[in-house]
Structure formats: structure tokens, C-alpha cells
Amino acid sequence: MALFALPTSPDLRRDRPALPGDAAWWAFFAATALALGAFSSLGPHRVWGTAAALGYTAAAVLAARGRSPRTAGAVAVTGAVLLPLLVLLAVDRAQLEVDVVARSAGLLLSEGTPYLERPTVPEDFNPYLPGMAAFGIPEAVAGPGPLTDPRLWMGAAFLGAFALALPAGARREAPRWLAACPLVALPLAVGGVDLPVAGLMCLGLARAGQGRAGRAGLALGVAAALKWTAWPAVPVALALLATAGGGDGRRGSRAALRCGLVALLTAAALVLPAALRDPGAFRTHVVDFPLGLTGAVSSAASPLPGHLLATQLPGGRTLALLLLGVSALLLAVSLLVRPPATGAAAAARLALGLLLAIAFMPATRFGYLVHPLVLAAWALARQPPAHPLRIRERVRDLVREPVRRRKQASR
């Protein structure tokens, strides 16, 4: 969210409304972090909440005193990411996902599969696809330590992929601003498996928007081997490539086919060896457990519509899954009826689809919202304007861009 607070001159900032990055927004972030630190039952989250609240408060004070947005943003990132990360690394504490990834890497190297054969409690389950275990390999090989911690490698993969998805001129500022947003800062510090998936989806859509079908397929294939949430990005990228042939339908179809094949082969090469090693364990961990079909219940239980339906209404789980399927069908129909014409439009479409999916999943948590947030941020930041624009104007241009391109192509 703080991504959009690009540095501006005093003359241009005088009359515009408060944007993320102004004192009011840093104060709001501070209140959010303080609330999480006070009410969370998770130790790493409490550490993050305390440190982040201090960082955001300092940023708010600096912004209120007229210091540059870059200075305030640097202070916010220091307090919300670097400080809690160093503290948690020093005391060897992390979110549960970090332990799951580290254990899965050890199992992959020793047993050929990252999944326990007979999981019993929620902590035994690994709901991620086999590719996610790669982030735990440094710890599995060299042993636990600050430099082998999986969260460092997941954070580096996210920031690297997101930066590569941006134009060269925005690769330094935009990731730094995005890291200041609480939804991104929290998993960077405590560990989160969704960040590298979101970064790779942005990279895949960026390459698809450039017409680089093979590279788009490679990035999306790797993302698809990490977590199921990356799979919807593949048909969105195919629709983008199919319409980006400059009026040449066959050229667009060939590009889409090439992207799809590369994505399929990449994902298959990373997933199938471990999945076929023990198909029963694979299904139990990555299919049954996320859908709530096992005896152990997932800890993903944020009060979003899908979870509320599944827990509060008789037959609600079936209804939630039905709504999830309808959302996927509507996204597919929209891609056929009005395919995206630009990478930014494709990211916006994918963000909307993932937002609906997150809302209706029976086992869900607020942290999953990092996917649509990162996609929306990339869509707005991929072509930074030469002069500052309000968020409303940038969104308007984003919506009008596909229409303008279609008109140019029809002339």
C-alpha cells in the first residue's frame, strides 16, 4: 500500500489528498501493528507488532515534520522488517510455515518426498507443493542458522522476482515501498510462503505482457510448483498472450501454446517426482488437508465468508466450495469474453479472481490477501509516470489502457 507514496515536490504535494506514505497512513499502520502485537496469540507476531508499531510511529512523526517520503519509508521498513527479522533470527523463532518448509526439505533429501507418510496433528501437514521445499534446502544441508533460515530465501525470491517484473527504473524504489506495507512486512519478518508465489506470478505476467512466452511459462511453472494459488495465473497469462499478437490470431495462439507447454513441463518436472513417490501422502497433504477433509483441522481460520459458511452453517462447506467453483468459472468466462490486453490488466483480473477465491475458501486466513495486494501494486507500479499522479488518476489510466490499445489495433 505504501508503494504509491512516490516522492513528490512540495508544490505538487500541496493540493493532493493524503496518500499511503503520508503521516496519517503511517499512523494507521502503527495502530494495525500495535493491535496485532497486543491480541495475537503467536509469539513471532507479537514481536513483529511491537517493532513495527515503533517503526511506523517514527515514520509518521517524520512525515508530519515534513521529512521526505523516502526517509519516512526507510524508517518504516527498518522497524517493520529489519528489526523484527533480526530479533526473531537471534532467538530462532518463526511462523509455523518456516518449520514446515525446513522439515519438508529434509524429508525430500532423505526420503524423496517432502510429505510425512502418516500425519496426525496439523503441524505434521505440509499443504504446499513439492517445489516449496527448495527454500528449506540450505538449512537441510548446512544446518539451522541465520543465513540458512527459509524465510530469508523466500523473502529474497519475492523481492527479486517482483523487481525483475518492473521496468529498470522502478526496481529499487517500488519493492522498498511495497515492503513497508504491513501485509508484506509481516511475512518478510516472521516467514510466509505466499510472497515468492506472488512475486513469480508478477514476473510471469510481466514476461507475458512483453510477448516472451517461454520466459513467462518458466516463471509461472515454478510458481505453480510452489502452491496451488499460482495456478489461476496460467490461464490469465495464456489469455493475455493470445490477444497480444497484434491482430495475428495464429501468432497469439502459438505464443499461448508455447507458454502453456513450458509452464506445464516446468511444474511437472518439479512436482511429479515427489508426488509419485507417495501419491497417497501427496493427496492427503496438498488436497485433503486444505479442503478440510482430514481429521486434523487447518489452523487457517480467519473469519472470511468461506470459513464462516463452513463452520457456522449446516452443509456450509459444500456451499463454500460451490461458491469457490462459481468464482473460478466466472473468471474463466471473463477471460474468453474479454481477455486482458496488457500485463497490468491481466494482473488486475487475476487479483480479483484470487480475492474471490480467498473469500470463499473453507480454510483461509487474512495473510493470503498478500496475493491480490502484490498483483495490484505491480499493476500500478510497472510503468511509473514521469510526474506524480493521484491514485485515482493512475487507476483510470490503467482501466482505459486496454481500450486505447484495441482502438489503435483496429485502425
Side-chain angles (χ1 to χ4, degrees):
M1 293 173 69
L3 169 68
F4 310 120
L6 298 176
T8 61
S9 68
D11 292 337
L12 290 170
R13 292 182 64 192
R14 186 180 303 146
D15 297 325
R16 66 175 176 84
L19 297 179
D22 288 343
W25 280 99
W26 294 129
F28 172 72
F29 289 166
T32 302
L34 190 61
L36 180 64
F39 296 107
S40 176
S41 60
L42 302 176
H45 286 198
R46 292 197 297 270
V47 171
W48 178 85
T50 302
L54 293 174
Y56 290 137
T57 300
V61 172
L62 291 173
R65 292 183 176 181
R67 300 296 295 271
S68 70
R70 180 176 296 180
T71 301
V75 171
V77 171
T78 300
V81 179
L82 296 181
L83 179 58
L85 176 60
L86 291 176
V87 171
L88 291 170
L89 286 174
V91 299
D92 193 23
R93 297 291 302 276
Q95 197 162 257
L96 176 61
E97 284 90 331
V98 177
D99 295 331
V100 171
V101 171
R103 184 188 67 224
S104 68
L107 288 171
L108 181 64
L109 295 180
S110 62
E111 306 293 336
T113 174
Y115 308 109
L116 290 172
E117 184 177 359
R118 294 183 180 86
T120 55
V121 297
E123 291 76 12
D124 291 339
F125 286 87
N126 172 18
Y128 316 122
L129 293 171
M132 191 67 73
F135 296 111
I137 289 179
E139 181 171 316
V141 173
L147 297 181
T148 60
D149 194 286
R151 86 189 90 176
L152 294 182
W153 299 96
M154 290 188 287
F158 161 67
L159 293 174
F162 186 79
L164 289 176
L166 292 167
R171 288 177 180 172
R172 295 183 62 183
E173 289 295 328
R176 182 163 40 186
W177 286 106
L178 182 60
C181 174
L183 271 176
V184 176
L186 175 62
L188 281 175
V190 306
V193 298
D194 295 297
L195 287 178
V197 178
L200 286 168
M201 287 194 293
C202 291
L203 182 58
L205 293 179
R207 296 298 176 257
Q210 297 167 351
R212 299 179 179 180
R215 295 185 182 185
L218 180 61
L220 294 174
V222 173
L226 300 180
K227 200 174 180 184
W228 293 114
T229 48
W231 286 35
V234 176
V236 174
L238 298 184
L240 173 60
L241 284 165
T243 59
D248 187 345
R250 277 187 285 185
R251 178 184 173 188
S253 298
R254 287 196 299 269
L257 179 61
R258 184 163 62 254
C259 175
L261 286 175
V262 172
L264 178 62
L265 292 175
T266 302
L270 296 174
V271 171
L272 286 182
L276 295 178
R277 178 79 174 180
D278 191 340
F282 176 80
R283 175 178 176 178
T284 298
H285 283 263
V286 304
V287 179
D288 294 344
F289 180 66
L291 294 178
L293 302 178
T294 59
V297 180
S298 171
S299 60
S302 295
L304 293 170
H307 177 71
L308 294 177
L309 286 173
T311 57
Q312 304 297 326
L313 190 68
R317 182 175 301 277
T318 301
L319 178 58
L321 293 176
L322 178 61
L323 291 172
L324 185 63
V326 170
S327 300
L329 179 61
L330 290 176
L331 176 62
V333 171
S334 75
L335 294 176
L336 293 174
V337 174
R338 183 168 293 182
T342 66
R349 189 80 56 86
L350 178 59
L352 177 60
L354 289 176
L355 188 62
L356 292 173
I358 293 167
F360 295 129
M361 287 170 58
T364 186
R365 56 166 54 106
F366 288 116
Y368 296 161
L369 295 173
V370 73
H371 289 289
L373 169 67
V374 170
L375 287 164
W378 174 77
L380 291 173
R382 59 184 292 270
Q383 292 180 339
H387 55 86
L389 293 176
R390 298 174 183 173
I391 292 179
R392 180 171 54 190
E393 293 170 341
R394 299 184 71 181
V395 172
R396 180 197 63 194
D397 293 341
L398 179 62
V399 172
R400 290 181 178 178
E401 184 181 3
V403 178
R404 185 163 55 248
R405 290 199 176 191
R406 290 192 186 97
K407 288 182 179 179
Q408 291 175 352
S410 63
R411 290 176 182 173

